Amino acid sequence: MTEERWKAVDDYFESVAGEPDPALDAAAGANVGFDLPDIAVSPAQGRFLNLLARVRGARNILEIGTFGGYSTIWLARALPADGTLVTIEYEKSFAEAAAANIARAGVADRVRQEVGRALDILPGLTADPAAPFDLVFVDANKPDIPEYFEWALKLTRPGSVIVVDNVVQGGAVADPDHPDRGVRGVRRFLEGLAHDTRVDATSLQTVGVKGHDGFTLALVTG
Ligand code: DHB
Ligand code: MG
């Protein structure tokens, strides 16, 4: 299977997934204005996050890493009208682009954006009316994933779901000597998870329009 084939299958799935959504398409293109790689989740992954939040019956969601707001919109659309999604972004310009995309998608009433260093903002969320969260999506800078996961645990309760994006990194995660700090962050996270009695978790590889990557799904058990 070539990457081209993976993409063709994702494109096919998208072609049978219903009407195009201009608000989501605009958010998906947020990378263009910043000359960045196309790092939002794929349409199929966005839909998966939306379904997962609804399966969980999530009323409060935390997202670490807003980028252009694409996954934010998918997740916010899973919430009831009185639900809250708190999303944290370090880059002010990304947060501003996301704000426009979130407003265009009609979910601004359910989304609260926090701008700054996630590790500075997360401690303040312990006293937030939106906490504990039913679902946390960890999708920010990869070297800090283990610390973000610890905060996700502090800000959830048994039954909550935590999803961590980008745990495969084109397969690099299997390399014990990989020099990339992001890959090392992912490995430190996964190796900690192995003996973590507070969660049950699995990691799945994905292929598609975003290449070869994957996510970890954790259920908070205690
Ligand atoms: C990349 C992909 C992501 O989903 C992300 O959150 C960050 C970076 C990437 O492909 O570089
Ligand atoms: Mg990601």
Side-chain angles (χ1 to χ4, degrees), residues 115-189:
V115 183
R117 215 176 143 258
L119 292 176
D120 294 336
I121 291 165
L122 288 163
L125 293 181
T126 50
D128 198 278
F133 296 93
D134 304 308
L135 188 150
V136 181
F137 183 44
V138 178
D139 193 20
N141 56 319
K142 310 311 168 190
D144 289 333
I145 285 179
E147 287 69 36
Y148 296 149
F149 189 73
E150 276 307 309
W151 276 109
L153 282 168
K154 287 194 181 83
L155 293 166
T156 51
R157 58 186 157 198
S160 297
V161 168
I162 305 172
V163 180
V164 180
D165 196 26
N166 308 118
V167 300
V168 173
Q169 305 269 320
V173 71
D175 179 355
D177 303 313
H178 206 285
D180 182 81
R181 290 182 60 241
V183 173
R184 298 175 85 85
V186 171
R187 286 180 61 93
R188 193 158 56 88
F189 158 61

Side-chain angles (χ1 to χ4, degrees), residues 182-203:
V183 173
R184 298 175 85 85
V186 171
R187 286 180 61 93
R188 193 158 56 88
F189 158 61
L190 292 172
E191 287 158 28
L193 201 56
H195 348 258
D196 199 323
T197 55
R198 301 167 296 180
V199 290
D200 286 331
T202 189
S203 300

